[in-house]
Amino acid sequence: MDSSEQEKVDGDIGVEKKKDKTANGYGGDGGEPKGTASSADQDSGDFYDVEIEKSNGEKEEKPPQESKEESTSISSKTEEFNDKEITINSPKIYCNARNHYLPAIKSQAHLPKPDPPATPRVERSQSLSIAETMPSIGKYISDRSSSFSAAIVRRLSSWKEDNGDLVMKNNSLNLEVTEFHIPGVKVIVKLKSEAERLGLDLKGRISFFTRSNCRDCTAVRHFFREKGLIYVEINIDVFPKREKELIERTGSSQVPQIFFNEKWYGGLTALNELRNSGEMEVKLREMVGERCPEGAPPIPVYGVDDEEEEDDVLLETVRSLRKTLPIQDRLIKMKMVKNCFSGVDLVEGIMDHLDRGRKKSVITAKLMVQKHFFHHVFGENEFEEGNHFYRFLEHEPFIMGCFNYRSSTNDSEPKPASFLADRLSKLMFAILEAYASDDRLHVNYSGIDRSEEFRRYLNVARDLQRVNMKLLSPNERLALFLNLHNAMAIHAVISIGHPEGVLDKRAFFNEFLYLVGGYPYSLNIILNGTLRRNRTSPYSFFRPFSKGDRRLELAPPKLNPLIHFGLCNGTRSSPAVRFFTADGVESELRCAAKEYFQRGAIQFNMEKRTVYLTRIIKWYNEDFGTEKDILKWVMKYLDSTQSGLLAHLLADDGHINIMYQDYDWSGNL
């Protein structure tokens, strides 16, 4: 076999190997085929893009406009693989071996020079450029991807027609997306909006006024979401100054009120009539077919604080004392106390600044303590003149760990506690309606972080620094602490993330603090110190409050075990996130417990006479009583099927095994 024949055979072998590797459509890596179907690959034209997910959970999402980049990246990988093949099958070794045995003959000058021997063509291994291999490989990958995507779409259409193993699931966070679960493949289809389906070019604006926690407003919101129509929501609980505009436009403060451009259409009843009449398309063309005029309700301005702040009447005196008092570190009762001052120096400073007698100056100092400008270093008294030492709020050692503290304390006149509690609940209701799923089991934390509602909530949280919590009724206090716990959990997830390990849990539950009423509160303190009346947390031997802690005064008169089903810590096994009203907090807690147990917090194995309960009950079993008492207590919050199974187990007085479910600490994203 001469050199040319050897070269041809070797080249054919290399080509055959490459064909075997790539002709199967797996891109040379032994994996499953991947592809993205664009709108051109689809038969029905009812959706824009198809995302294909492999059965093992790995997912690739490639928009159609990135198909060229996709081909580039795959081509470079294939070229790298094929380069290795070329190196293996290169005939270079034969060439070198033959030349090694050729005798060296010195040519004679008087004879014609012989032609040099033919050198076999050597395949390049490492010098092959991407530009040379890109057209063929890229075209091959693109063709394979398109054909595979088209096959998936045809298969999807056939299963849809045959009503086979096709499961449709609405994503409640984005009602424009529908998931089709096919054995081995997961296809996510983005549906066209109502305007796009009807071919409407909506240039105007749909806007409506709402309030937080309003059922009719929720119905209107869902209607526009299902239709895929863009709208502007003006929540007058978030933007309270817009209520005056609502009254001027409609003559009433009732919500919802819908506007198509500048035209007032009505509320939920009018929207239902429009939907039932079948004239939705006509009305949309008439009302929002043109550009929005200036007379339409303006879009809410974000990032602007329209709530007025009023300085505290004692602020000028406090500022003077901060500058003139001898604030220094002192050794008191064998402890080094930093940044403190004596009560005698404080009274003399007030006398000098206000030019009043000692008795009135002492009264002024007590008023400052009540407004939480400063506290006793050991919390022994509110204020007494003499050898007692105090510290300004901004000098407390815990202050820098408070996430509602911004470089300085809030020196504005404290707002009424009932007003702040109501404002907090309304803002958090608005956040859930916009950034949580309908069942409130999944929360869009990144969306909350960028929202105007959350920015305004942070302002309310800052107003809690010096609020007088003692002025609240027991139900108002209970609702506020429940809401504050759930709001702090959302804020903690945004700021420090979900807890993944032991150290993360400590930071999440114990070190993420709010300054409320002059004192620090963590998630652990709210639950175990306040709501559970100073009981130890699971796997702990220490109570949150020491004897004489003034935060104990805010604990409810009696522990209510239902609180455990109203608190959400941002994990999947915790109850759904929710917020409460002062008037209905008791009934709302009962609803929360029923919802939690009916969602799987209790399960039965009748053959083994075993009841599987949520691990929350194990952690806080002293709040529920003995095991038999727990089962009787739980029965009040079960549905008819669950209560029937439990009653059957309890009827014969036989032994019942109680086991506890595993707790899922992953985030409720």
Side-chain angles (χ1 to χ4, degrees):
M1 182 183 296
D2 59 15
S3 62
S4 61
E5 291 175 346
Q6 180 66 46
E7 174 187 356
K8 181 177 180 181
V9 170
D10 292 339
D12 292 341
I13 292 174
V15 171
E16 277 299 315
K17 287 188 176 182
K18 286 189 284 183
K19 286 183 178 180
D20 290 340
K21 294 287 185 179
T22 59
N24 56 14
Y26 291 88
D29 58 2
E32 293 184 11
K34 305 174 184 177
T36 301
S38 63
S39 57
D41 300 323
Q42 302 158 4
D43 298 331
S44 60
D46 288 337
F47 50 90
Y48 295 134
D49 54 82
V50 176
E51 173 194 336
I52 300 169
E53 182 180 9
K54 297 198 291 187
S55 59
N56 61 1
E58 299 180 1
K59 183 169 68 175
E60 281 192 20
E61 181 175 337
K62 302 182 179 67
Q65 63 269 22
E66 296 179 3
S67 60
K68 185 174 181 181
E69 297 177 7
E70 173 190 349
S71 300
T72 303
S73 61
I74 297 176
S75 300
S76 64
K77 292 180 181 178
T78 308
E79 176 222 342
E80 192 178 76
F81 184 86
N82 290 342
D83 282 345
K84 295 179 182 178
E85 294 176 355
I86 293 170
T87 303
I88 294 171
N89 296 299
S90 172
K92 182 177 180 180
I93 185 171
Y94 298 102
C95 171
N96 291 340
R98 188 193 61 184
N99 289 342
H100 177 73
Y101 291 104
L102 285 178
I105 301 174
K106 186 180 291 185
S107 61
Q108 301 297 322
H110 62 278
L111 296 176
K113 292 183 180 181
D115 294 330
T119 304
R121 182 173 58 88
V122 180
E123 297 281 352
R124 290 180 295 176
S125 58
Q126 301 299 325
S127 60
L128 196 61
S129 65
I130 295 178
E132 292 175 288
T133 59
M134 178 62 66
S136 58
I137 298 178
K139 184 176 183 300
Y140 173 77
I141 296 295
S142 178
D143 292 343
R144 294 292 300 175
S145 175
S146 299
S147 60
F148 179 73
S149 302
I152 287 293
V153 173
R154 288 194 296 271
R155 183 63 171 162
L156 175 63
S157 301
S158 64
W159 272 338
K160 187 174 181 180
E161 293 171 359
D162 299 339
N163 197 19
D165 298 331
L166 187 61
V167 181
M168 185 172 71
K169 174 185 175 183
N170 284 331
N171 183 345
S172 56
L173 288 178
N174 185 354
L175 292 175
E176 295 181 0
V177 175
T178 302
E179 294 185 6
F180 297 91
H181 293 277
I182 307 170
V185 178
K186 178 182 177 183
V187 181
I188 299 179
V189 181
K190 185 176 181 181
L191 303 177
K192 288 186 177 181
S193 66
E194 182 77 3
E196 292 167 330
R197 187 179 64 81
L198 298 175
L200 300 177
D201 184 16
L202 302 183
K203 301 178 181 179
R205 181 193 307 155
I206 301 173
S207 54
F208 60 97
F209 289 83
T210 64
R211 289 186 185 274
S212 299
N213 200 25
C214 169
R215 291 185 179 181
D216 289 352
C217 300
T218 301
V220 172
R221 190 183 302 112
H222 282 179
F223 175 81
F224 287 127
R225 283 181 180 176
E226 290 172 358
K227 296 295 182 181
L229 297 172
I230 299 175
Y231 60 85
V232 174
E233 181 176 352
I234 307 169
N235 190 324
I236 58 179
D237 286 333
V238 179
F239 305 96
K241 289 194 173 183
R242 299 296 296 270
E243 184 175 5
K244 181 179 178 181
E245 176 190 348
L246 172 63
I247 296 174
E248 291 175 351
R249 289 180 178 273
T250 64
S252 172
S253 61
Q254 294 182 352
V255 291
Q257 298 296 340
I258 305 168
F259 287 80
F260 294 98
N261 283 344
E262 81 285 4
K263 300 174 184 176
W264 172 41
Y265 187 73
L268 179 61
T269 303
L271 189 63
N272 286 333
E273 292 176 356
L274 177 62
R275 177 176 55 186
N276 297 333
S277 65
E279 298 180 355
M280 185 72 184
E281 179 181 354
V282 177
K283 290 294 183 181
L284 286 176
R285 290 184 186 277
E286 291 179 357
M287 297 180 179
V288 287
E290 300 178 356
R291 290 194 176 278
C292 185
E294 295 182 358
I299 298 174
V301 179
Y302 282 34
V304 177
D305 294 321
D306 52 7
E307 299 179 12
E308 298 178 358
E309 298 286 343
E310 181 182 352
D311 287 341
D312 196 295
V313 293
L314 297 174
L315 180 58
E316 185 178 349
T317 305
V318 171
R319 286 175 175 170
S320 174
L321 294 173
R322 286 169 176 166
K323 296 177 181 178
T324 58
L325 285 178
I327 299 174
Q328 56 189 8
D329 300 345
R330 291 179 169 88
L331 184 63
I332 307 172
K333 296 182 179 181
M334 303 301 293
K335 294 182 180 179
M336 180 59 67
V337 181
K338 295 186 176 182
N339 301 319
C340 60
F341 54 88
S342 68
V344 175
D345 293 335
L346 177 67
V347 172
E348 292 179 354
I350 295 174
M351 292 171 60
D352 293 341
H353 180 75
L354 297 178
D355 192 17
R356 60 177 57 174
R358 179 172 296 274
K359 192 173 183 178
K360 290 185 177 180
S361 297
V362 171
I363 295 174
T364 302
K366 290 183 177 180
L367 184 59
M368 289 180 179
V369 172
Q370 292 175 4
K371 290 191 171 185
H372 304 293
F373 280 111
F374 54 83
H375 291 146
H376 192 280
V377 292
F378 299 128
E380 294 177 354
N381 58 68
E382 290 198 352
F383 181 79
E384 291 181 11
E385 186 183 7
N387 193 26
H388 298 280
F389 295 90
Y390 303 87
R391 182 164 44 203
F392 281 111
L393 191 59
E394 59 267 26
H395 293 153
E396 293 285 358
F398 57 77
I399 194 68
M400 297 308 297
C402 296
F403 280 74
N404 64 335
Y405 173 82
R406 304 177 189 171
S407 70
S408 64
T409 54
N410 185 1
D411 290 334
S412 301
E413 181 70 25
K415 296 182 174 67
S418 57
F419 169 80
L420 292 177
D422 181 66
R423 183 92 174 109
L424 185 149
S425 65
K426 288 179 177 178
L427 285 170
M428 296 313 296
F429 273 124
I431 285 175
L432 286 190
E433 290 165 355
Y435 301 102
S437 60
D438 292 339
D439 56 9
R440 291 167 284 104
L441 295 177
H442 305 282
V443 181
N444 180 3
Y445 291 99
S446 60
I448 293 175
D449 187 25
R450 299 189 300 268
S451 69
E452 175 67 10
E453 294 89 343
F454 186 67
R455 191 190 69 83
R456 292 182 179 240
Y457 158 76
L458 294 179
N459 291 339
V460 173
R462 188 168 182 264
D463 290 336
L464 293 173
Q465 292 179 5
R466 298 192 301 112
V467 66
N468 190 349
M469 300 285 286
K470 296 179 182 179
L471 300 179
L472 295 173
S473 67
N475 279 352
E476 287 178 328
R477 204 176 299 157
L478 175 61
L480 175 58
F481 277 115
L482 289 169
N483 293 340
L484 187 61
H485 178 283
N486 293 345
M488 285 178 63
I490 292 175
H491 191 183
V493 171
I494 292 173
S495 299
I496 63 178
H498 283 97
E500 297 180 358
V502 176
L503 296 179
D504 291 340
K505 291 175 184 176
R506 176 180 176 83
F508 190 88
F509 292 102
N510 295 303
E511 297 175 1
F512 185 89
L513 301 175
Y514 266 23
L515 179 62
V516 181
Y519 297 96
Y521 283 87
S522 64
L523 296 177
N524 177 49
I525 288 176
I526 291 177
L527 171 56
N528 300 297
T530 303
L531 295 176
R532 297 186 64 227
R533 296 178 52 81
N534 202 27
R535 297 191 178 187
T536 58
S537 59
Y539 313 113
S540 175
F541 300 101
F542 302 100
R543 298 179 183 272
F545 298 147
S546 59
K547 186 178 179 180
D549 195 310
R550 295 187 179 275
R551 290 172 288 185
L552 272 171
E553 300 173 2
L554 303 178
K558 184 180 179 181
L559 189 149
N560 186 349
L562 292 173
I563 60 171
H564 296 290
F565 311 109
L567 299 176
C568 176
N569 55 26
T571 60
R572 292 191 178 183
S573 287
S574 73
V577 60
R578 65 194 306 148
F579 294 92
F580 301 86
T581 61
D583 296 335
V585 61
E586 291 290 344
S587 61
E588 290 165 0
L589 280 173
R590 288 193 291 270
C591 291
K594 291 179 181 178
E595 177 186 294
Y596 188 56
F597 281 111
Q598 293 172 13
R599 190 164 56 86
I602 184 171
Q603 296 175 357
F604 303 90
N605 188 327
M606 302 302 290
E607 295 180 359
K608 297 182 179 180
R609 296 183 60 81
T610 302
V611 178
Y612 300 89
L613 288 173
T614 172
R615 193 163 290 270
I616 292 176
I617 291 181
K618 179 182 180 180
W619 289 336
Y620 305 101
N621 56 2
E622 64 175 314
D623 299 349
F624 298 95
T626 63
E627 289 189 345
K628 200 159 189 179
D629 293 336
I630 289 174
L631 295 179
K632 293 179 179 179
W633 182 88
V634 164
M635 188 179 292
K636 297 182 292 185
Y637 305 102
L638 305 181
D639 59 25
S640 57
T641 302
Q642 293 173 326
S643 60
L645 294 174
L646 185 56
H648 179 74
L649 292 175
L650 293 171
D652 56 5
D653 292 331
H655 177 70
I656 301 175
N657 300 313
I658 296 181
M659 300 187 69
Y660 297 94
Q661 304 168 4
D662 292 335
Y663 195 90
D664 188 352
W665 286 98
S666 55
N668 59 344
L669 301 174

